[in-house]
Amino acid sequence: MLLLLPLAWLASLPAPIEIAFGSWRVSSRIGALIFLILALMLVLWLAMIAWREILSLPHNIQLWRETRRQQAGYQALLSSLGDSGSSHALKDAMSARKLLGNNPLSTLIAAQVAEATNESKQATRLYETLRDVKETRFVALLSLARLARANGDLTKAQVCLEQAQDLQPQSQQLQQEQIEIAQQEGSPQVVLAILDKMQRRGKKLSAPLRKLEAILRTDAMRKALEANDQSDALMQAERAYRAAPAHAIVDYTQRLADGNAVDKALGRKIIVARWSEFAGRALAETFFRLNDATKPIERVRLFENLIGNKASMMSRLLLCELLIDARLWARAEDLLDEESIVLEKPCAPHYELLTYLRTRARLAKEAHNDLDAQQHWLERLAEQARQEV
């Protein structure tokens, strides 16, 4: 506005203006001259814009082509991820990598797709290119170790893991791969050492790793028993129980049953506390050993105290077997009649139904010597067993 106000004032002046340039003479009104100047400035400005666009045209064309190329690359990348595991997915992944300029992300996805399609040589080649990139070096080393292990080259796998350990020594993926290699080498002590290290660092083991530790320590317990090392056997059984109670409670309580009075008291306490979770015949037999119960009637009383009034179906079926052992047939038959209401329904749990039918056959033979009834229950047992298979 500061510019336009004086111009408007000049344009309103009635006197003409003359401009002399050598032999040239220009005579015009001020308003027309100002309009001409503004028009020339506008043309000059438009010419500058046009010239700038002309100069930037190659760059814009290149940018447009790169954008189209990136869009096609990302589309191929999405297609490979949506159909991973097929040869078509690998083709899309390699095409995406080429379109995106072989960047680390597209190379990593292409390598993973190649690995998923069992193209181990191509996957190895792609991971090798990522090995030299700082951001992907650790992932590449872990993947190369995994591929080498799958191909049976444990030496190369170990070398890759050692290099990866220098980058991220506390990585859980690294330790998982170390466990896999140790298992493949048949080195349970190495696996246990890795698991101990993970726990000392405060890491909570996953359920599969806890189960693995329980299995390995149970094997170590059996080897200690073969070597007549009762102390080490008890220690291994205890650690297996702490890792995965469901897989080691019987072995641990059996070792406690072989110990002194304090060990036996601990074993009884464990079974009483966790019977509802891990009820079973083997655990019941261990409980009897811990109480030095050998007579059938004594076992019945102990077991009744163990299961209490709100016993599970499996506990009640085990009680029936103990009652038959003690020749308390009438009570066993009454209890089985009560359970038949639930167990003879179509939706009854298979394992409990099989136990029920087996106990019925045994009761028919031992209580009444009724071979026809025994055969009837055995035939039902065989039929249910076939259905389970």
Side-chain angles (χ1 to χ4, degrees), residues 350 354 379 381-389:
H350 233 84
L354 293 177
E379 287 174 357
L381 176 64
E383 181 183 353
Q384 289 296 326
R386 283 195 297 271
Q387 290 179 7
E388 186 176 6
V389 174

PDB file of all heavy atoms in Angstrom, residues 350 354 379 381-389:
ATOM      1  N   HIS A 350     -11.641 -87.335  27.663  1.00  0.00           N
ATOM      2  CA  HIS A 350     -11.263 -88.649  27.161  1.00  0.00           C
ATOM      3  C   HIS A 350     -10.420 -89.431  28.160  1.00  0.00           C
ATOM      4  O   HIS A 350     -10.679 -90.613  28.423  1.00  0.00           O
ATOM      5  CB  HIS A 350     -10.490 -88.492  25.847  1.00  0.00           C
ATOM      6  CG  HIS A 350     -11.073 -89.309  24.745  1.00  0.00           C
ATOM      7  ND1 HIS A 350     -12.128 -88.892  23.977  1.00  0.00           N
ATOM      8  CD2 HIS A 350     -10.756 -90.553  24.296  1.00  0.00           C
ATOM      9  CE1 HIS A 350     -12.426 -89.823  23.086  1.00  0.00           C
ATOM     10  NE2 HIS A 350     -11.606 -90.838  23.253  1.00  0.00           N
ATOM     11  N   LEU A 354     -11.449 -92.977  29.976  1.00  0.00           N
ATOM     12  CA  LEU A 354     -10.674 -94.218  29.827  1.00  0.00           C
ATOM     13  C   LEU A 354     -10.319 -94.796  31.194  1.00  0.00           C
ATOM     14  O   LEU A 354     -10.386 -96.018  31.412  1.00  0.00           O
ATOM     15  CB  LEU A 354      -9.410 -93.947  29.012  1.00  0.00           C
ATOM     16  CG  LEU A 354      -9.606 -93.580  27.534  1.00  0.00           C
ATOM     17  CD1 LEU A 354      -8.273 -93.273  26.884  1.00  0.00           C
ATOM     18  CD2 LEU A 354     -10.301 -94.711  26.785  1.00  0.00           C
ATOM     19  N   GLU A 379     -14.457-103.786  26.233  1.00  0.00           N
ATOM     20  CA  GLU A 379     -14.826-103.458  24.848  1.00  0.00           C
ATOM     21  C   GLU A 379     -15.116-101.964  24.707  1.00  0.00           C
ATOM     22  O   GLU A 379     -14.728-101.327  23.719  1.00  0.00           O
ATOM     23  CB  GLU A 379     -16.045-104.281  24.420  1.00  0.00           C
ATOM     24  CG  GLU A 379     -15.718-105.756  24.180  1.00  0.00           C
ATOM     25  CD  GLU A 379     -16.955-106.580  23.888  1.00  0.00           C
ATOM     26  OE1 GLU A 379     -18.080-106.013  23.935  1.00  0.00           O
ATOM     27  OE2 GLU A 379     -16.811-107.787  23.613  1.00  0.00           O
ATOM     28  N   LEU A 381     -13.823 -99.717  26.584  1.00  0.00           N
ATOM     29  CA  LEU A 381     -12.518 -99.076  26.728  1.00  0.00           C
ATOM     30  C   LEU A 381     -11.771 -99.073  25.393  1.00  0.00           C
ATOM     31  O   LEU A 381     -11.199 -98.049  24.989  1.00  0.00           O
ATOM     32  CB  LEU A 381     -11.692 -99.805  27.794  1.00  0.00           C
ATOM     33  CG  LEU A 381     -10.257 -99.320  28.013  1.00  0.00           C
ATOM     34  CD1 LEU A 381     -10.250 -97.898  28.543  1.00  0.00           C
ATOM     35  CD2 LEU A 381      -9.526-100.249  28.981  1.00  0.00           C
ATOM     36  N   ALA A 382     -11.783-100.213  24.685  1.00  0.00           N
ATOM     37  CA  ALA A 382     -11.097-100.307  23.387  1.00  0.00           C
ATOM     38  C   ALA A 382     -11.726 -99.365  22.363  1.00  0.00           C
ATOM     39  O   ALA A 382     -11.045 -98.716  21.567  1.00  0.00           O
ATOM     40  CB  ALA A 382     -11.142-101.745  22.889  1.00  0.00           C
ATOM     41  N   GLU A 383     -13.067 -99.265  22.393  1.00  0.00           N
ATOM     42  CA  GLU A 383     -13.763 -98.400  21.463  1.00  0.00           C
ATOM     43  C   GLU A 383     -13.397 -96.918  21.696  1.00  0.00           C
ATOM     44  O   GLU A 383     -13.129 -96.164  20.752  1.00  0.00           O
ATOM     45  CB  GLU A 383     -15.275 -98.594  21.615  1.00  0.00           C
ATOM     46  CG  GLU A 383     -16.092 -97.729  20.658  1.00  0.00           C
ATOM     47  CD  GLU A 383     -17.594 -97.904  20.889  1.00  0.00           C
ATOM     48  OE1 GLU A 383     -17.974 -98.781  21.698  1.00  0.00           O
ATOM     49  OE2 GLU A 383     -18.371 -97.175  20.250  1.00  0.00           O
ATOM     50  N   GLN A 384     -13.381 -96.526  22.964  1.00  0.00           N
ATOM     51  CA  GLN A 384     -13.011 -95.148  23.273  1.00  0.00           C
ATOM     52  C   GLN A 384     -11.560 -94.853  22.910  1.00  0.00           C
ATOM     53  O   GLN A 384     -11.228 -93.766  22.443  1.00  0.00           O
ATOM     54  CB  GLN A 384     -13.245 -94.871  24.758  1.00  0.00           C
ATOM     55  CG  GLN A 384     -14.704 -94.787  25.159  1.00  0.00           C
ATOM     56  CD  GLN A 384     -15.416 -93.619  24.490  1.00  0.00           C
ATOM     57  OE1 GLN A 384     -14.824 -92.582  24.259  1.00  0.00           O
ATOM     58  NE2 GLN A 384     -16.693 -93.815  24.199  1.00  0.00           N
ATOM     59  N   ALA A 385     -10.705 -95.846  23.130  1.00  0.00           N
ATOM     60  CA  ALA A 385      -9.295 -95.663  22.784  1.00  0.00           C
ATOM     61  C   ALA A 385      -9.128 -95.475  21.275  1.00  0.00           C
ATOM     62  O   ALA A 385      -8.318 -94.658  20.825  1.00  0.00           O
ATOM     63  CB  ALA A 385      -8.476 -96.850  23.268  1.00  0.00           C
ATOM     64  N   ARG A 386      -9.895 -96.213  20.472  1.00  0.00           N
ATOM     65  CA  ARG A 386      -9.832 -96.063  19.015  1.00  0.00           C
ATOM     66  C   ARG A 386     -10.311 -94.668  18.587  1.00  0.00           C
ATOM     67  O   ARG A 386      -9.769 -94.055  17.686  1.00  0.00           O
ATOM     68  CB  ARG A 386     -10.664 -97.138  18.325  1.00  0.00           C
ATOM     69  CG  ARG A 386     -10.020 -98.513  18.285  1.00  0.00           C
ATOM     70  CD  ARG A 386     -10.711 -99.421  17.299  1.00  0.00           C
ATOM     71  NE  ARG A 386     -12.108 -99.661  17.673  1.00  0.00           N
ATOM     72  CZ  ARG A 386     -12.505-100.664  18.484  1.00  0.00           C
ATOM     73  NH1 ARG A 386     -11.611-101.502  18.975  1.00  0.00           N
ATOM     74  NH2 ARG A 386     -13.780-100.821  18.781  1.00  0.00           N
ATOM     75  N   GLN A 387     -11.350 -94.183  19.261  1.00  0.00           N
ATOM     76  CA  GLN A 387     -11.859 -92.847  18.942  1.00  0.00           C
ATOM     77  C   GLN A 387     -10.823 -91.767  19.250  1.00  0.00           C
ATOM     78  O   GLN A 387     -10.712 -90.776  18.528  1.00  0.00           O
ATOM     79  CB  GLN A 387     -13.143 -92.564  19.730  1.00  0.00           C
ATOM     80  CG  GLN A 387     -14.327 -93.385  19.276  1.00  0.00           C
ATOM     81  CD  GLN A 387     -15.578 -93.074  20.106  1.00  0.00           C
ATOM     82  OE1 GLN A 387     -15.584 -92.166  20.920  1.00  0.00           O
ATOM     83  NE2 GLN A 387     -16.630 -93.853  19.885  1.00  0.00           N
ATOM     84  N   GLU A 388     -10.068 -91.986  20.289  1.00  0.00           N
ATOM     85  CA  GLU A 388      -9.031 -91.005  20.647  1.00  0.00           C
ATOM     86  C   GLU A 388      -7.941 -90.960  19.587  1.00  0.00           C
ATOM     87  O   GLU A 388      -7.423 -89.906  19.248  1.00  0.00           O
ATOM     88  CB  GLU A 388      -8.449 -91.339  22.009  1.00  0.00           C
ATOM     89  CG  GLU A 388      -7.473 -90.302  22.530  1.00  0.00           C
ATOM     90  CD  GLU A 388      -6.990 -90.623  23.925  1.00  0.00           C
ATOM     91  OE1 GLU A 388      -7.329 -91.708  24.446  1.00  0.00           O
ATOM     92  OE2 GLU A 388      -6.272 -89.780  24.495  1.00  0.00           O
ATOM     93  N   VAL A 389      -7.601 -92.142  19.059  1.00  0.00           N
ATOM     94  CA  VAL A 389      -6.577 -92.198  18.010  1.00  0.00           C
ATOM     95  C   VAL A 389      -7.104 -91.554  16.743  1.00  0.00           C
ATOM     96  O   VAL A 389      -6.433 -90.799  16.071  1.00  0.00           O
ATOM     97  CB  VAL A 389      -6.152 -93.657  17.755  1.00  0.00           C
ATOM     98  CG1 VAL A 389      -5.205 -93.726  16.572  1.00  0.00           C
ATOM     99  CG2 VAL A 389      -5.492 -94.241  18.987  1.00  0.00           C
TER     100      VAL A 389
END
